[in-house]
Protein backbone atom coordinates (compact mmCIF):
# COMPACT_ATOMS: atom_id res chain seq x y z
CA UNK A 1 0.00 0.00 0.00
CA UNK A 2 1.34 3.46 -0.88
CA UNK A 3 1.11 5.87 2.04
CA UNK A 4 0.43 9.58 1.86
CA UNK A 5 3.64 11.58 1.91
CA UNK A 6 3.54 15.00 3.47
CA UNK A 7 5.83 17.55 1.91
CA UNK A 8 4.69 20.59 3.87
CA UNK A 9 4.39 21.07 7.61
CA UNK A 10 1.22 22.51 9.09
CA UNK A 11 1.49 24.12 12.56
CA UNK A 12 -0.75 22.43 15.10
CA UNK A 13 -2.00 25.74 16.43
CA UNK A 14 -3.33 26.99 13.08
CA UNK A 15 -6.73 25.64 11.97
CA UNK A 16 -6.50 24.39 8.41
CA UNK A 17 -9.03 23.47 5.78
CA UNK A 18 -10.01 19.83 5.53
CA UNK A 19 -8.17 18.09 2.78
CA UNK A 20 -5.96 15.14 1.97
CA UNK A 21 -5.24 13.01 5.00
CA UNK A 22 -1.91 11.44 5.82
CA UNK A 23 -1.06 8.31 7.73
CA UNK A 24 2.35 9.75 8.65
CA UNK A 25 2.51 12.13 11.62
CA UNK A 26 -1.07 13.36 11.36
CA UNK A 27 -1.78 16.92 12.49
CA UNK A 28 -4.56 16.60 15.06
CA UNK A 29 -6.99 19.26 16.20
CA UNK A 30 -6.70 20.50 19.74
CA UNK A 31 -9.66 20.95 22.09
CA UNK A 32 -10.02 24.60 21.05
CA UNK A 33 -10.70 23.68 17.42
CA UNK A 34 -14.45 23.48 17.77
CA UNK A 35 -15.22 23.99 14.08
CA UNK A 36 -15.71 20.70 12.28
CA UNK A 37 -13.73 19.68 9.23
CA UNK A 38 -16.79 19.96 7.03
CA UNK A 39 -17.56 23.48 8.27
CA UNK A 40 -13.98 24.55 7.58
CA UNK A 41 -14.31 23.16 4.08
CA UNK A 42 -16.93 25.73 3.22
CA UNK A 43 -14.54 28.52 4.26
CA UNK A 44 -11.69 27.30 2.14
CA UNK A 45 -13.20 26.30 -1.20
CA UNK A 46 -11.77 29.33 -2.98
CA UNK A 47 -8.31 28.50 -1.71
CA UNK A 48 -8.66 24.81 -2.44
CA UNK A 49 -10.70 24.37 -5.65
CA UNK A 50 -11.04 20.60 -5.91
CA UNK A 51 -12.43 20.78 -9.44
CA UNK A 52 -9.32 22.55 -10.73
CA UNK A 53 -7.12 19.78 -9.36
CA UNK A 54 -9.25 17.00 -10.78
CA UNK A 55 -10.38 18.35 -14.15
CA UNK A 56 -9.74 16.47 -17.40
CA UNK A 57 -10.01 17.70 -21.02
CA UNK A 58 -12.67 15.09 -21.84
CA UNK A 59 -15.07 16.09 -19.07
CA UNK A 60 -18.59 16.76 -20.35
CA UNK A 61 -21.49 18.52 -18.61
CA UNK A 62 -23.47 16.20 -16.37
CA UNK A 63 -27.24 15.95 -16.12
CA UNK A 64 -30.07 14.09 -17.80
CA UNK A 65 -29.19 12.07 -20.90
CA UNK A 66 -31.57 10.76 -23.59
CA UNK A 67 -31.34 8.28 -26.44
CA UNK A 68 -33.56 6.56 -28.98
CA UNK A 69 -33.59 2.79 -29.26
CA UNK A 70 -33.06 1.24 -32.68
CA UNK A 71 -35.99 -1.11 -33.24
CA UNK A 72 -35.44 -1.57 -36.95
CA UNK A 73 -32.98 -4.48 -37.00
CA UNK A 74 -32.96 -7.89 -35.26
CA UNK A 75 -30.97 -7.79 -32.02
CA UNK A 76 -29.97 -11.45 -31.91
CA UNK A 77 -31.96 -11.98 -28.72
CA UNK A 78 -35.67 -11.78 -29.39
CA UNK A 79 -38.62 -14.12 -29.14
CA UNK A 80 -41.77 -14.34 -31.30
CA UNK A 81 -41.20 -10.90 -32.87
CA UNK A 82 -41.99 -9.66 -36.35
CA UNK A 83 -41.33 -6.24 -37.88
CA UNK A 84 -44.13 -4.98 -40.06
CA UNK A 85 -44.50 -1.41 -41.24
CA UNK A 86 -41.58 -0.33 -39.08
CA UNK A 87 -43.21 -1.60 -35.87
CA UNK A 88 -42.53 -4.49 -33.48
CA UNK A 89 -45.38 -7.02 -33.38
CA UNK A 90 -46.13 -10.51 -32.12
CA UNK A 91 -45.39 -13.08 -34.79
CA UNK A 92 -47.70 -15.72 -33.29
CA UNK A 93 -50.17 -15.00 -30.49
CA UNK A 94 -50.14 -18.69 -29.52
CA UNK A 95 -46.50 -18.49 -28.29
CA UNK A 96 -46.34 -17.83 -24.54
CA UNK A 97 -43.92 -18.46 -21.64
CA UNK A 98 -44.13 -22.13 -20.71
CA UNK A 99 -44.01 -22.10 -16.92
CA UNK A 100 -46.62 -19.41 -16.31
CA UNK A 101 -49.14 -21.28 -18.48
CA UNK A 102 -50.78 -18.00 -19.39
CA UNK A 103 -53.39 -17.97 -22.19
CA UNK A 104 -51.95 -14.71 -23.52
CA UNK A 105 -49.36 -14.66 -26.30
CA UNK A 106 -46.09 -12.90 -25.63
CA UNK A 107 -43.08 -11.57 -27.51
CA UNK A 108 -39.86 -10.05 -26.20
CA UNK A 109 -36.91 -8.09 -27.56
CA UNK A 110 -33.65 -7.66 -25.66
CA UNK A 111 -31.96 -4.50 -26.93
CA UNK A 112 -28.17 -4.05 -27.04
CA UNK A 113 -26.44 -2.50 -24.04
CA UNK A 114 -26.34 1.29 -24.21
CA UNK A 115 -23.12 2.90 -22.95
CA UNK A 116 -23.44 6.19 -21.06
CA UNK A 117 -20.89 8.89 -20.31
CA UNK A 118 -22.34 9.49 -16.85
CA UNK A 119 -23.87 7.59 -13.97
CA UNK A 120 -27.66 7.21 -13.80
CA UNK A 121 -30.14 5.38 -11.61
CA UNK A 122 -33.52 6.74 -12.72
CA UNK A 123 -34.74 5.72 -16.19
CA UNK A 124 -37.90 6.85 -17.96
CA UNK A 125 -39.20 5.36 -21.24
CA UNK A 126 -41.31 7.07 -23.89
CA UNK A 127 -43.14 4.42 -25.92
CA UNK A 128 -45.09 5.02 -29.11
CA UNK A 129 -47.37 1.99 -29.31
CA UNK A 130 -50.79 0.78 -30.35
CA UNK A 131 -52.53 -1.06 -27.51
CA UNK A 132 -55.75 -2.98 -28.23
CA UNK A 133 -57.95 -3.38 -25.16
CA UNK A 134 -56.43 -5.90 -22.76
CA UNK A 135 -52.97 -5.92 -24.36
CA UNK A 136 -49.75 -4.63 -22.82
CA UNK A 137 -46.33 -3.29 -23.71
CA UNK A 138 -43.87 -3.57 -20.82
CA UNK A 139 -40.44 -1.91 -20.74
CA UNK A 140 -37.91 -3.46 -18.36
CA UNK A 141 -34.51 -1.89 -17.72
CA UNK A 142 -31.40 -2.91 -15.86
CA UNK A 143 -27.94 -1.45 -15.43
CA UNK A 144 -24.34 -2.53 -15.07
CA UNK A 145 -22.28 -0.69 -12.48
CA UNK A 146 -18.60 0.20 -12.43
CA UNK A 147 -17.71 -3.15 -10.87
CA UNK A 148 -19.34 -5.03 -13.77
CA UNK A 149 -22.36 -6.21 -11.76
CA UNK A 150 -25.86 -6.13 -13.22
CA UNK A 151 -28.82 -4.88 -11.22
CA UNK A 152 -32.08 -6.77 -11.37
CA UNK A 153 -34.54 -5.77 -14.06
CA UNK A 154 -37.04 -3.06 -13.14
CA UNK A 155 -40.25 -2.23 -14.99
CA UNK A 156 -40.40 1.38 -16.17
CA UNK A 157 -43.14 3.60 -17.56
CA UNK A 158 -43.57 7.28 -18.32
CA UNK A 159 -45.54 7.75 -15.12
CA UNK A 160 -43.39 5.47 -12.98
CA UNK A 161 -39.69 5.62 -13.91
CA UNK A 162 -37.49 2.71 -12.92
CA UNK A 163 -35.26 3.54 -9.96
CA UNK A 164 -32.30 1.17 -9.87
CA UNK A 165 -30.78 0.16 -6.52
CA UNK A 166 -27.42 1.73 -7.42
CA UNK A 167 -25.91 3.99 -10.05
CA UNK A 168 -24.88 2.48 -13.39
CA UNK A 169 -23.11 3.54 -16.57
CA UNK A 170 -24.46 0.84 -18.91
CA UNK A 171 -28.19 0.35 -19.47
CA UNK A 172 -30.03 -2.49 -21.17
CA UNK A 173 -33.70 -2.50 -22.14
CA UNK A 174 -36.15 -5.35 -22.70
CA UNK A 175 -39.49 -4.80 -24.46
CA UNK A 176 -42.24 -7.32 -23.70
CA UNK A 177 -45.41 -7.38 -25.82
CA UNK A 178 -48.40 -9.20 -24.31
CA UNK A 179 -51.52 -9.99 -26.32
CA UNK A 180 -55.03 -9.49 -24.99
CA UNK A 181 -56.96 -12.60 -23.89
CA UNK A 182 -58.80 -12.52 -27.23
CA UNK A 183 -55.49 -12.55 -29.14
CA UNK A 184 -55.43 -8.86 -30.10
CA UNK A 185 -51.77 -7.86 -30.08
CA UNK A 186 -49.97 -4.57 -29.45
CA UNK A 187 -47.37 -3.00 -31.72
CA UNK A 188 -44.45 -0.71 -30.87
CA UNK A 189 -43.33 1.95 -33.33
CA UNK A 190 -40.60 3.65 -31.31
CA UNK A 191 -38.93 3.79 -27.91
CA UNK A 192 -36.92 6.63 -26.42
CA UNK A 193 -35.37 6.67 -22.96
CA UNK A 194 -34.06 9.34 -20.64
CA UNK A 195 -31.97 8.80 -17.55
CA UNK A 196 -30.49 10.79 -14.70
CA UNK A 197 -28.76 10.37 -11.37
CA UNK A 198 -31.13 10.89 -8.47
CA UNK A 199 -28.89 10.77 -5.42
CA UNK A 200 -31.85 11.48 -3.14
CA UNK A 201 -33.80 8.41 -4.29
CA UNK A 202 -34.45 5.84 -1.54
CA UNK A 203 -31.98 2.97 -1.68
CA UNK A 204 -32.78 -0.67 -1.12
CA UNK A 205 -30.82 -2.00 1.82
CA UNK A 206 -29.58 -5.39 0.72
CA UNK A 207 -27.82 -7.96 2.86
CA UNK A 208 -24.20 -8.65 2.03
CA UNK A 209 -24.98 -12.37 1.65
CA UNK A 210 -27.32 -13.73 -1.00
CA UNK A 211 -30.74 -14.92 0.17
CA UNK A 212 -31.40 -18.60 0.82
CA UNK A 213 -34.97 -19.87 1.27
CA UNK A 214 -36.82 -23.17 1.42
CA UNK A 215 -39.57 -23.25 -1.21
CA UNK A 216 -41.80 -25.81 -2.89
CA UNK A 217 -40.54 -26.95 -6.29
CA UNK A 218 -42.49 -28.39 -9.21
CA UNK A 219 -41.25 -30.10 -12.39
CA UNK A 220 -41.75 -27.85 -15.39
CA UNK A 221 -41.57 -30.46 -18.15
CA UNK A 222 -43.30 -28.90 -21.18
CA UNK A 223 -40.69 -30.17 -23.67
CA UNK A 224 -41.04 -28.26 -26.93
CA UNK A 225 -42.46 -25.21 -25.20
CA UNK A 226 -40.74 -21.81 -25.17
CA UNK A 227 -39.41 -20.14 -22.05
CA UNK A 228 -39.80 -16.43 -21.28
CA UNK A 229 -36.30 -15.76 -22.62
CA UNK A 230 -36.90 -17.65 -25.88
CA UNK A 231 -35.29 -21.00 -25.12
CA UNK A 232 -37.05 -23.99 -26.65
CA UNK A 233 -37.30 -26.63 -23.92
CA UNK A 234 -35.63 -29.99 -24.52
CA UNK A 235 -35.61 -33.22 -22.56
CA UNK A 236 -33.19 -33.19 -19.61
CA UNK A 237 -32.85 -29.39 -19.71
CA UNK A 238 -31.15 -27.62 -16.80
CA UNK A 239 -32.74 -24.29 -15.83
CA UNK A 240 -35.37 -22.91 -13.45
CA UNK A 241 -38.40 -20.64 -13.59
CA UNK A 242 -39.07 -17.97 -10.96
CA UNK A 243 -42.29 -15.93 -10.70
CA UNK A 244 -40.85 -12.55 -11.77
CA UNK A 245 -39.00 -11.12 -14.78
CA UNK A 246 -36.73 -9.20 -12.39
CA UNK A 247 -34.35 -12.16 -12.24
CA UNK A 248 -34.74 -13.46 -15.81
CA UNK A 249 -31.46 -14.19 -17.59
CA UNK A 250 -31.00 -13.39 -21.28
CA UNK A 251 -31.23 -16.43 -23.52
CA UNK A 252 -28.25 -18.74 -23.14
CA UNK A 253 -26.75 -16.81 -20.21
CA UNK A 254 -26.47 -17.49 -16.48
CA UNK A 255 -26.42 -13.86 -15.35
CA UNK A 256 -29.17 -14.64 -12.85
CA UNK A 257 -28.78 -18.12 -11.39
CA UNK A 258 -29.86 -20.10 -8.36
CA UNK A 259 -28.30 -22.90 -6.38
CA UNK A 260 -30.95 -25.56 -5.82
CA UNK A 261 -30.37 -28.24 -3.17
CA UNK A 262 -32.61 -31.30 -3.11
CA UNK A 263 -32.51 -34.68 -1.35
CA UNK A 264 -29.51 -35.95 -3.34
CA UNK A 265 -27.35 -32.98 -4.32
CA UNK A 266 -27.17 -29.32 -5.24
CA UNK A 267 -27.12 -27.80 -8.72
CA UNK A 268 -26.52 -24.28 -9.95
CA UNK A 269 -28.95 -23.45 -12.75
CA UNK A 270 -29.84 -20.29 -14.71
CA UNK A 271 -33.22 -18.55 -14.50
CA UNK A 272 -34.69 -18.89 -18.01
CA UNK A 273 -38.44 -18.84 -17.44
CA UNK A 274 -41.11 -16.97 -15.48
CA UNK A 275 -43.59 -18.87 -13.31
CA UNK A 276 -45.00 -21.22 -12.15
CA UNK A 277 -47.93 -19.20 -10.80
CA UNK A 278 -47.18 -15.51 -10.66
CA UNK A 279 -45.17 -13.24 -12.94
CA UNK A 280 -44.60 -10.27 -10.59
CA UNK A 281 -43.65 -11.98 -7.35
CA UNK A 282 -39.95 -11.35 -6.66
CA UNK A 283 -40.25 -12.89 -3.21
CA UNK A 284 -36.45 -13.05 -2.78
CA UNK A 285 -36.36 -9.27 -2.35
CA UNK A 286 -37.10 -7.36 0.83
CA UNK A 287 -40.79 -6.68 1.31
CA UNK A 288 -40.21 -2.94 0.83
CA UNK A 289 -38.56 -3.53 -2.56
CA UNK A 290 -40.88 -6.32 -3.71
CA UNK A 291 -42.83 -5.58 -6.88
CA UNK A 292 -46.09 -7.05 -5.58
CA UNK A 293 -47.44 -8.60 -2.39
CA UNK A 294 -45.40 -6.26 -0.19
CA UNK A 295 -47.20 -7.45 2.94
CA UNK A 296 -45.58 -10.88 2.67
CA UNK A 297 -42.20 -11.54 4.32
CA UNK A 298 -39.05 -11.89 2.26
CA UNK A 299 -38.55 -15.47 1.10
CA UNK A 300 -42.24 -16.46 1.06
CA UNK A 301 -43.76 -16.91 -2.43
CA UNK A 302 -47.29 -15.61 -2.91
CA UNK A 303 -48.39 -19.04 -4.15
CA UNK A 304 -47.20 -20.59 -0.90
CA UNK A 305 -49.14 -18.06 1.18
CA UNK A 306 -52.23 -18.48 -1.03
CA UNK A 307 -52.24 -22.28 -0.92
CA UNK A 308 -51.35 -22.78 2.75
CA UNK A 309 -52.81 -19.68 4.38
CA UNK A 310 -55.61 -18.54 2.05
CA UNK A 311 -53.74 -15.35 1.21
CA UNK A 312 -55.42 -13.32 -1.55
CA UNK A 313 -58.42 -15.61 -1.30
CA UNK A 314 -56.27 -18.55 -2.35
CA UNK A 315 -55.69 -16.98 -5.77
CA UNK A 316 -52.52 -16.02 -7.64
CA UNK A 317 -51.89 -12.57 -9.09
CA UNK A 318 -53.95 -13.27 -12.20
CA UNK A 319 -56.95 -14.64 -10.28
CA UNK A 320 -56.33 -18.35 -10.74
CA UNK A 321 -56.91 -20.74 -7.83
CA UNK A 322 -53.49 -21.83 -6.55
CA UNK A 323 -53.29 -25.64 -6.57
CA UNK A 324 -49.86 -26.04 -4.96
CA UNK A 325 -47.45 -23.77 -3.03
CA UNK A 326 -44.75 -23.69 -5.73
CA UNK A 327 -42.26 -20.84 -5.71
CA UNK A 328 -39.93 -22.36 -8.32
CA UNK A 329 -40.27 -24.58 -11.40
CA UNK A 330 -37.39 -26.93 -12.26
CA UNK A 331 -36.58 -28.12 -15.76
CA UNK A 332 -36.52 -31.91 -15.99
CA UNK A 333 -32.73 -32.27 -15.89
CA UNK A 334 -32.43 -30.10 -12.80
CA UNK A 335 -35.46 -31.71 -11.13
CA UNK A 336 -34.10 -35.23 -11.31
CA UNK A 337 -30.47 -34.25 -10.74
CA UNK A 338 -31.14 -32.76 -7.31
CA UNK A 339 -32.90 -35.97 -6.33
CA UNK A 340 -36.60 -35.23 -6.72
CA UNK A 341 -39.04 -37.85 -7.97
CA UNK A 342 -42.11 -35.89 -6.98
CA UNK A 343 -42.75 -32.22 -6.37
CA UNK A 344 -41.37 -31.16 -2.99
CA UNK A 345 -39.44 -28.65 -0.96
CA UNK A 346 -35.90 -27.62 -1.90
CA UNK A 347 -33.43 -25.09 -0.56
CA UNK A 348 -32.69 -22.29 -3.03
CA UNK A 349 -29.95 -19.67 -2.95
CA UNK A 350 -30.63 -16.68 -5.22
CA UNK A 351 -27.04 -16.07 -6.23
CA UNK A 352 -27.33 -12.56 -7.67
CA UNK A 353 -28.92 -11.07 -4.55
CA UNK A 354 -26.92 -9.16 -1.99
CA UNK A 355 -23.57 -9.45 -3.77
CA UNK A 356 -21.21 -6.60 -2.92
CA UNK A 357 -23.83 -4.64 -1.03
CA UNK A 358 -21.90 -3.99 2.19
CA UNK A 359 -20.79 -0.35 2.50
CA UNK A 360 -19.25 2.06 5.01
CA UNK A 361 -20.02 5.78 5.15
CA UNK A 362 -17.41 8.55 5.16
CA UNK A 363 -17.52 12.35 4.79
CA UNK A 364 -15.83 14.08 1.85
CA UNK A 365 -14.37 17.56 1.62
CA UNK A 366 -14.03 20.10 -1.18
CA UNK A 367 -16.24 21.48 -3.95
CA UNK A 368 -16.99 20.01 -7.39
CA UNK A 369 -15.10 16.81 -6.65
CA UNK A 370 -15.26 14.50 -9.66
CA UNK A 371 -16.19 10.83 -9.58
CA UNK A 372 -14.56 8.77 -12.32
CA UNK A 373 -15.50 5.65 -14.20
CA UNK A 374 -12.12 4.13 -13.34
CA UNK A 375 -9.51 4.82 -10.67
CA UNK A 376 -7.77 7.51 -12.71
CA UNK A 377 -8.47 11.21 -13.24
CA UNK A 378 -8.14 10.70 -17.01
CA UNK A 379 -11.18 8.40 -17.20
CA UNK A 380 -14.75 9.56 -17.86
CA UNK A 381 -16.31 11.75 -15.20
CA UNK A 382 -19.59 10.05 -14.31
CA UNK A 383 -20.74 12.24 -11.40
CA UNK A 384 -19.68 15.15 -9.24
CA UNK A 385 -19.99 16.15 -5.57
CA UNK A 386 -20.91 19.82 -5.36
CA UNK A 387 -19.67 20.14 -1.79
CA UNK A 388 -18.88 18.16 1.34
CA UNK A 389 -21.01 15.00 1.30
CA UNK A 390 -21.39 11.78 3.25
CA UNK A 391 -20.82 8.92 0.80
CA UNK A 392 -21.19 5.15 0.94
CA UNK A 393 -17.98 3.31 0.05
CA UNK A 394 -18.23 -0.27 -1.18
CA UNK A 395 -14.60 -1.11 -1.87
CA UNK A 396 -11.26 0.49 -2.74
CA UNK A 397 -8.34 -0.04 -5.12
CA UNK A 398 -4.88 1.30 -5.81
CA UNK A 399 -5.00 3.45 -8.95
CA UNK A 400 -3.51 6.67 -10.24
CA UNK A 401 -1.42 8.65 -7.76
CA UNK A 402 -3.21 11.91 -6.95
CA UNK A 403 -1.31 14.87 -5.47
CA UNK A 404 -2.83 17.88 -3.76
CA UNK A 405 -1.43 20.55 -1.42
CA UNK A 406 1.71 18.54 -0.72
CA UNK A 407 -0.16 15.28 -0.14
CA UNK A 408 -0.31 12.22 -2.35
CA UNK A 409 -2.46 9.12 -2.42
CA UNK A 410 -3.03 6.34 -4.95
CA UNK A 411 -6.10 4.85 -3.20
CA UNK A 412 -9.53 5.25 -4.80
CA UNK A 413 -12.91 4.28 -3.36
CA UNK A 414 -15.90 2.94 -5.32
CA UNK A 415 -19.19 4.73 -4.53
CA UNK A 416 -22.20 2.57 -5.56
CA UNK A 417 -24.60 5.52 -5.31
CA UNK A 418 -22.58 7.43 -7.92
CA UNK A 419 -21.37 4.59 -10.13
CA UNK A 420 -17.67 5.40 -10.01
CA UNK A 421 -14.48 6.04 -8.09
CA UNK A 422 -13.35 8.98 -5.95
CA UNK A 423 -9.74 9.55 -4.96
CA UNK A 424 -9.30 8.88 -1.26
CA UNK A 425 -7.51 12.19 -1.08
CA UNK A 426 -10.98 13.81 -1.02
CA UNK A 427 -12.34 11.55 1.72
CA UNK A 428 -12.01 13.19 5.10
CA UNK A 429 -10.38 10.36 7.00
CA UNK A 430 -7.11 10.03 8.85
CA UNK A 431 -5.96 7.02 6.86
CA UNK A 432 -5.04 6.96 3.20
CA UNK A 433 -6.39 3.39 2.93
CA UNK A 434 -9.86 3.43 4.49
CA UNK A 435 -10.23 1.13 7.50
CA UNK A 436 -12.72 -1.69 7.24
CA UNK A 437 -13.24 -1.29 3.48
CA UNK A 438 -12.27 -4.28 1.29
CA UNK A 439 -10.42 -4.35 -2.00
CA UNK A 440 -12.58 -4.15 -5.12
Amino acid sequence: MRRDQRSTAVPVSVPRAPGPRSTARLVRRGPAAAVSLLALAALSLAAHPAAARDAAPGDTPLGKVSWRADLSAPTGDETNVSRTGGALRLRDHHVRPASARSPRGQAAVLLPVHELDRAVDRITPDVDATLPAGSEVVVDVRGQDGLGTWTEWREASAGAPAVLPRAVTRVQTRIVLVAAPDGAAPSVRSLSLSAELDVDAPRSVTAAASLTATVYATREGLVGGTTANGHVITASDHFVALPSRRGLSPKGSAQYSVKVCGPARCETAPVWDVGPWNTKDDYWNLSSARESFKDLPQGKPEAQAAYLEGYNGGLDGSGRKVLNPAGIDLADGTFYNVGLNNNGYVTVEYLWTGAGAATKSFPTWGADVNIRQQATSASTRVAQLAGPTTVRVQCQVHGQLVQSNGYSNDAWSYLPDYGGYISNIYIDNAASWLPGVPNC
Side-chain angles (χ1 to χ4, degrees):
M1 178 183 77
R2 186 189 299 274
R3 290 178 173 270
D4 292 344
Q5 298 177 350
R6 293 182 54 195
S7 63
T8 58
V10 180
V12 173
S13 60
V14 179
R16 64 178 176 84
R21 318 312 289 165
S22 170
T23 58
R25 297 188 60 190
L26 290 169
V27 177
R28 301 190 182 277
R29 301 182 297 271
V35 181
S36 71
L37 285 173
L38 296 183
L40 283 171
L43 301 175
S44 62
L45 297 182
H48 302 284
R53 288 192 297 270
D54 190 29
D59 288 346
T60 57
L62 297 170
K64 183 179 289 188
V65 60
S66 300
W67 68 98
R68 185 181 178 92
D70 181 6
L71 306 183
S72 62
T75 66
D77 194 337
E78 49 192 53
T79 304
N80 194 32
V81 170
S82 68
R83 289 173 171 80
T84 306
L88 297 178
R89 304 175 189 274
L90 271 75
R91 187 178 64 247
D92 182 352
H93 71 269
H94 294 99
V95 174
R96 59 206 64 174
S99 178
R101 294 169 170 82
S102 169
R104 303 170 66 185
Q106 181 172 304
V109 176
L110 184 68
L111 298 176
V113 175
H114 186 76
E115 303 273 356
L116 300 174
D117 63 357
R118 67 205 67 186
V120 302
D121 60 6
R122 185 181 180 90
I123 304 167
T124 305
D126 181 8
V127 183
D128 179 13
T130 298
L131 292 171
S135 68
E136 295 179 75
V137 171
V138 181
V139 177
D140 295 330
V141 295
R142 65 173 181 167
Q144 192 175 46
D145 62 23
L147 300 178
T149 304
W150 286 105
T151 69
E152 280 191 333
W153 294 97
R154 289 291 184 267
E155 186 175 331
S157 66
V163 179
L164 301 180
R166 55 188 178 274
V168 300
T169 54
R170 307 175 80 225
V171 173
Q172 190 165 35
T173 306
R174 180 173 61 204
I175 305 173
V176 181
L177 295 84
V178 184
D182 64 2
S187 61
V188 178
R189 288 178 291 276
S190 68
L191 170 65
S192 297
L193 301 107
S194 62
E196 60 188 324
L197 183 64
D198 183 0
V199 295
D200 296 324
R203 303 289 173 180
S204 299
V205 179
T206 310
S210 52
L211 177 75
T212 298
T214 299
V215 297
Y216 192 79
T218 48
R219 181 177 71 87
E220 178 160 345
L222 302 175
V223 172
T226 302
T227 66
N229 72 354
H231 170 74
V232 177
I233 302 172
T234 63
S236 300
D237 245 336
H238 289 261
F239 67 84
V240 306
L242 292 177
S244 169
R245 290 194 308 272
R246 285 186 165 184
L248 180 64
S249 291
K251 183 178 179 180
S253 85
Q255 291 172 0
Y256 305 96
S257 293
V258 296
K259 182 180 179 182
V260 183
C261 295
R265 63 185 60 83
C266 298
E267 176 183 314
T268 297
V271 183
W272 281 0
D273 207 357
V274 176
W277 289 103
N278 291 291
T279 60
K280 294 189 176 183
D281 182 25
D282 51 322
Y283 62 83
W284 49 88
N285 282 322
L286 290 171
S287 298
S288 58
R290 198 163 169 165
E291 185 175 14
S292 302
F293 315 115
K294 292 179 179 291
D295 54 339
L296 291 177
Q298 183 184 23
K300 178 180 284 190
E302 190 275 345
Q304 178 179 319
Y307 183 78
L308 297 178
E309 303 163 17
Y311 177 84
N312 194 36
L315 307 177
D316 72 356
S318 61
R320 298 179 297 182
K321 182 176 177 59
V322 175
L323 302 178
N324 61 52
I328 189 170
D329 233 356
L330 308 182
D332 286 4
T334 301
F335 185 87
Y336 293 116
N337 184 48
V338 301
L340 292 175
N341 291 312
N342 294 298
N343 298 337
Y345 284 93
V346 294
T347 300
V348 182
E349 183 179 0
Y350 307 83
L351 297 174
W352 69 92
T353 62
T359 62
K360 292 192 70 173
S361 296
F362 297 90
T364 68
W365 71 278
D368 299 332
V369 175
N370 291 320
I371 299 168
R372 301 288 180 181
Q373 197 169 60
Q374 303 296 331
T376 166
S377 58
S379 72
T380 301
R381 178 180 65 180
V382 296
Q384 192 176 67
L385 304 179
T389 307
T390 297
V391 296
R392 295 194 310 139
V393 175
Q394 183 172 336
C395 59
Q396 56 191 335
V397 298
H398 289 292
Q400 178 192 355
L401 181 67
V402 176
Q403 296 177 320
S404 178
N405 293 352
Y407 295 83
S408 62
N409 196 344
D410 72 346
W412 292 68
S413 290
Y414 183 76
L415 311 183
D417 295 335
Y418 297 90
Y421 295 83
I422 184 176
S423 168
N424 281 13
I425 216 162
Y426 299 117
I427 293 182
D428 196 5
N429 188 270
S432 61
W433 187 258
L434 300 180
V437 177
N439 288 15
C440 292

